[in-house]
Amino acid sequence: MAMAIRAAERVVKPGIVGVGKLGLYIAEQFISYQKQPLVVGRTPGKLEKLKASGAQIAASHTALVEETNEILICTKPGKDFHQACDTLNTALAMSPHKENKLFLSCAAATTVEDVTRYLPHASQTFSVMPVIGLNTPLFLSAHSAVTSENRERALNVCKLITPHVYELTSSSTIHAATTMACLPGWLAHTIHTLAKQYRHFGRENNRNPE
Ligand SMILES: NC(=O)c1ccc[n+]([C@@H]2O[C@H](COP(=O)([O-])OP(=O)(O)OC[C@H]3O[C@@H](n4cnc5c(N)ncnc54)[C@H](OP(=O)(O)O)[C@@H]3O)[C@@H](O)[C@H]2O)c1
């Protein structure tokens, strides 16, 4: 008799909603592990380039929900995130396999409780925050309703994005951890911007000496 497949051993079928800077990065990581993602965007034509690198373009958000098991939401937070969740939730309501679908939101300042509130048909929800750059740490927090097997599945998916995955028990600590991880990059960016402005003003002063 065939043994039941544990959820954690199921084949990863990743989907990405929103393929901007972060979605593209994640898609490339999956492709490098031969886990071709199915992606869906908002603006027709913007995803054509991705096809050449091995990603598949879903016909709609509904098709993406039906054909994938681990769905990463990579839209901006706020209005874009709410719209994407509305569409995904409608698709999920009709899906006979909804209990098998993991939703991993990458939206900043959005807790895992927010994700569950905007996706009421999803019970297996996560908040994920990759900090792209040196070492690319990734912070993950799971909703309390998530089963241990699905938590393991989510961890395995995140490990395809980066080996440096840290699970946090509360979704508020995810923001603190992200802020700390982003701080060096933010400081470097601020110093770079200030230095550019300083050089610009220096040139202007040399051009117009009093
Ligand atoms: N960039 C990073 O390093 C980073 C790191 C960690 C977390 N994040 C988080 O990741 C999210 C995305 O950031 P980003 O920098 O990648 O932003 P982005 O470049 O603006 O990408 C967002 C993408 O989402 C698409 N989109 C919007 N609504 C959609 C919908 N309903 N269905 C499908 N696609 C939709 C947008 O499509 P259009 O092309 O039509 O605008 C755009 O391509 C943000 O919440 C951010 O906080 C980003």
Side-chain angles (χ1 to χ4, degrees), residues 48-59:
E48 286 307 310
K49 260 203 313 203
L50 251 182
K51 262 193 198 167
S53 50
Q56 291 178 302
I57 317 295

Side-chain angles (χ1 to χ4, degrees), residues 16-24 40-43 46-47 61 73-77 80-81 83-85 87 106-110 128-132 178:
I16 303 176
V17 180
V19 197
K21 290 179 280 302
L22 180 67
L24 186 62
V40 69
R42 176 173 60 181
T43 310
K46 270 199 178 175
L47 307 183
H61 290 67
I73 309 175
C74 300
T75 67
K76 289 261 194 261
D80 284 358
F81 178 76
Q83 274 176 359
C85 285
T87 326
C106 299
T110 307
V128 177
M129 197 45 64
V131 183
I132 298 173
T178 310

Side-chain angles (χ1 to χ4, degrees), residues 17-137:
V17 180
V19 197
K21 290 179 280 302
L22 180 67
L24 186 62
Y25 177 84
I26 293 177
E28 284 167 350
Q29 300 307 306
F30 287 153
I31 291 166
S32 72
Y33 283 101
Q34 271 83 49
K35 304 278 183 208
Q36 269 62 18
L38 188 62
V39 306
V40 69
R42 176 173 60 181
T43 310
K46 270 199 178 175
L47 307 183
E48 286 307 310
K49 260 203 313 203
L50 251 182
K51 262 193 198 167
S53 50
Q56 291 178 302
I57 317 295
S60 64
H61 290 67
T62 307
L64 182 123
V65 168
E66 221 20 72
E67 291 164 32
T68 62
N69 288 332
E70 298 83 14
I71 298 158
L72 286 118
I73 309 175
C74 300
T75 67
K76 289 261 194 261
K79 198 166 134 259
D80 284 358
F81 178 76
H82 301 157
Q83 274 176 359
C85 285
D86 273 354
T87 326
L88 294 170
N89 196 55
T90 309
L92 197 58
M94 296 181 296
S95 171
H97 311 291
K98 51 170 93 59
E99 73 292 340
N100 187 36
K101 313 279 175 190
L102 309 189
F103 286 85
L104 300 97
S105 157
C106 299
T110 307
T111 65
V112 70
E113 290 78 19
D114 295 332
V115 185
T116 312
R117 201 166 44 248
Y118 285 107
L119 284 171
H121 283 290
S123 60
Q124 306 300 297
T125 52
F126 301 82
S127 178
V128 177
M129 197 45 64
V131 183
I132 298 173
L134 200 60
N135 267 341
T136 306

